[in-house]
Amino acid sequence: MATLTIRNVDESVHHQIRRRAAQKSRSMEAEVRDLLAKTYGQASFGGALLSLAQDLRSDVDGVDLVIPPRSVPRILDLNKE
């Protein structure tokens, strides 16, 4: 295995890598290794593009939906069996 040292990484890129690694509960080094493997380990450009699209999509937090309040409150009867 080879060793790679990268200097002068932009702070915003560093922050994004740190955040992604934390979301996956792993080190930044492991996250970068995975990103490099997904990008350059693919047999075709299409595979690398698909991998990149999946990685970008994983950063989306989801959709905020407006949930209307209940019109009639739910009653919980603890005496029923």
Side-chain angles (χ1 to χ4, degrees), residues 28-41:
M28 288 179 59
E29 183 178 342
E31 178 65 17
V32 171
R33 264 196 312 267
D34 185 57
L35 288 169
L36 290 171
K38 286 180 180 176
T39 302
Y40 295 105

Side-chain angles (χ1 to χ4, degrees), residues 22-80:
Q23 287 173 344
K24 297 177 183 179
S25 300
R26 61 180 173 188
S27 69
M28 288 179 59
E29 183 178 342
E31 178 65 17
V32 171
R33 264 196 312 267
D34 185 57
L35 288 169
L36 290 171
K38 286 180 180 176
T39 302
Y40 295 105
Q42 301 292 332
S44 68
F45 175 74
L49 187 59
L50 176 61
S51 177
L52 179 60
Q54 289 171 337
D55 287 342
L56 291 173
R57 188 169 154 229
S58 70
D59 284 343
V60 177
D61 291 331
V63 177
D64 292 328
L65 299 175
V66 177
I67 300 174
R70 292 179 182 263
S71 58
V72 177
R74 182 184 290 182
I75 299 173
L76 181 62
D77 186 0
L78 298 176
N79 294 325
K80 281 187 173 180

